[in-house]
Amino acid sequence: MSAVITLAADRGLEQPIDPDWELLARVAQGDSYAFTALVERYQERLLRLTERLLGDVEEARDAAQDVFLKVYRKAGTLTPQGRLYTLLYRIAVNHCSNKLRRRRVVQFFRFEAASADGEPAFDPADPAPDPAAVLDSRRRWLATRAAVDRLPTNQRLVLLLARFEGLSYKEIAEVLGISLGAVESRLVRAMRNLEAAQEEAPPRVSERKVPS
Amino acid sequence: MKTVHPPPEERQLLRLLSGQLPAAEVERLRARIAAEPALGARFERLSASWRQLELPPPTPAPAGYAQRLTVRATTEVALAPLAVRSRGFWLRALFALLVGLALGAGLGAWSHRVDPSPSAGESLIWAGVAESYWQLVGGESEGEGR
């Protein structure tokens, strides 16, 4: 019988469906190859999530690293329930929320304004030859980043998980530990705030009229 | 504080945009959007805002990220008992120092209360300090050559 099924049976739980809990059970037994495999399987998703939440590549890598290390240390105590990535997301969201809270405190005591128009760290070469399209893309990224950063944390988390991570409302509720109704309310409020912000944004480069 | 719930239509529209609705409900909602101008207009504005939300592609993980992380994790776990021991040692040392200082201060205060007059040794020390002071301030002939 696999280690995960044994573990689940010992705790009186139904057998988990996600086979990745098997990997975690092997990590708990000290299998470092299993840990490498686990990281490789989830690193892109976690790095994407932490980068979206924190807006900085280096901070995102540190945060993702902290999440994986926490999972490594606690592998033997985690209860196999549902999908493993939901648990990873929950740990990552809590970790990043704490970082954002500390960042706000530091900014408050340094009298700094929150940076709302930071350059995206990744600047892919756009295959489209149209410079206006390239400028439009960058402008939308910066505008989105600025608007999302101005949202309250609880609305920002729901929006990022729904719009950019593609999680279902049920999964978002599990990750954040809130009700389905709360997920919907926060998403509606987030969109209303964003619509208000978008109305103040300048027109697209491609739509600007060139004076004659 | 009174909780204000969003209107059900707006929640349904967002469910449609975020792909949360089953196929049958999608069909029904799209029919309503086509039939009701106000709902249709609200959906257009909401979907325009939803589409405008764009973030750059995420930065890929650096090469060897998983392998380096595994080395760090296994090293940390191996060194964890040492870290705990050294932390305990320094805490005990600090505690002992504080206790020593407290005892010394307490003993000093107690001995002063028993015999407030300065001891012979103390008198000599303070006399020496006073002598040095006067030499510095006014006695050049005595203080020179130091």
Side-chain angles (χ1 to χ4, degrees):
Chain A
M1 187 186 288
S2 76
V4 173
I5 294 173
T6 309
L7 194 63
D10 285 347
R11 295 184 187 182
L13 298 170
E14 292 176 11
Q15 293 179 11
I17 299 167
D18 190 349
D20 285 342
W21 287 106
E22 283 275 359
L23 263 183
L24 195 65
R26 283 166 48 201
V27 171
Q29 288 160 4
D31 186 347
S32 58
Y33 293 106
F35 182 66
T36 306
L38 191 78
V39 173
E40 282 172 347
R41 197 169 293 189
Y42 289 104
Q43 62 187 12
E44 299 297 343
R45 291 183 79 166
L46 266 196
L47 284 169
R48 184 181 66 216
L49 174 67
T50 52
E51 193 177 333
R52 302 263 196 244
L53 288 172
L54 298 173
D56 179 83
V57 173
E58 288 308 317
E59 272 200 75
R61 284 181 185 166
D62 288 343
Q65 190 170 246
D66 291 340
V67 170
F68 282 121
L69 288 173
K70 193 177 265 190
V71 168
Y72 184 85
R73 283 184 223 118
K74 293 179 183 291
T77 61
L78 295 171
T79 307
Q81 243 178 345
R83 305 291 300 273
L84 181 60
Y85 80 81
T86 311
L87 172 72
L88 294 176
Y89 269 43
R90 193 180 316 135
I91 298 173
V93 162
N94 287 337
H95 189 77
C96 292
S97 296
N98 290 336
K99 273 185 168 288
L100 289 169
R101 213 171 295 127
R102 278 197 293 273
R103 195 194 280 175
R104 276 199 300 275
V105 170
V106 169
Q107 284 170 350
F108 175 79
F109 283 107
R110 284 184 185 170
F111 301 102
E112 285 172 7
S115 120
D117 55 354
E119 291 282 320
F122 185 66
D123 191 5
D126 194 327
D130 182 9
V134 171
L135 277 173
D136 269 342
S137 291
R138 286 187 61 79
R139 187 197 139 275
R140 281 199 295 277
W141 296 343
L142 291 172
T144 302
R145 186 79 250 170
V148 166
D149 282 351
R150 278 199 292 268
L151 290 173
T153 305
N154 58 2
Q155 293 176 21
R156 185 189 323 177
L157 291 174
V158 171
L159 179 76
L160 288 173
L161 292 175
R163 175 69 179 89
F164 296 105
E165 294 298 314
L167 264 59
S168 68
Y169 284 8
K170 184 167 174 290
E171 287 166 335
I172 296 172
E174 275 176 29
V175 168
L176 299 181
I178 58 178
S179 65
L180 278 175
V183 171
E184 285 194 292
S185 297
R186 291 179 191 186
L187 189 58
V188 167
R189 282 201 293 270
M191 285 308 298
R192 284 181 183 167
N193 287 333
L194 288 173
E195 281 179 296
Q198 283 162 354
E199 274 164 21
E200 296 167 14
R204 292 182 180 194
V205 170
S206 52
E207 289 169 0
R208 285 183 203 159
K209 290 189 169 45
V210 177
S212 54
Chain B
M1 191 172 72
K2 192 178 167 190
T3 306
V4 178
H5 296 288
E9 290 84 13
E10 205 154 334
R11 281 185 277 142
Q12 281 292 83
L13 293 179
L14 271 175
R15 279 177 177 260
L16 177 64
L17 282 173
S18 56
Q20 309 285 333
L21 291 178
E25 280 196 50
V26 169
E27 290 299 317
R28 273 198 293 273
L29 188 55
R30 286 209 179 273
R32 270 194 68 195
I33 288 168
E36 296 173 34
L39 193 64
R42 181 71 191 109
F43 180 69
E44 276 308 309
R45 285 197 307 275
L46 206 50
S47 58
S49 297
W50 188 261
R51 278 195 305 272
Q52 273 196 50
L53 292 173
E54 276 185 42
L55 287 174
T59 311
Y65 183 79
Q67 287 74 15
R68 283 197 301 278
L69 196 47
T70 304
V71 169
R72 184 175 160 184
T74 49
T75 310
E76 272 189 14
V77 166
L79 290 177
L82 289 176
V84 169
R85 198 182 307 143
S86 64
R87 245 200 331 268
F89 168 75
W90 287 112
L91 275 174
R92 284 196 295 273
L94 182 64
F95 180 70
L97 181 66
L98 289 172
V99 166
L101 283 171
L103 275 174
L107 270 172
W110 176 76
S111 67
H112 185 71
R113 232 178 295 147
V114 165
D115 180 9
S117 62
S119 64
E122 279 184 62
S123 300
L124 279 173
I125 291 168
W126 285 114
V129 168
E131 181 65 27
S132 304
Y133 171 72
W134 287 116
Q135 283 177 3
L136 276 170
V137 168
E140 290 98 355
S141 58
E142 287 168 313
E144 275 176 355
R146 212 175 345 165

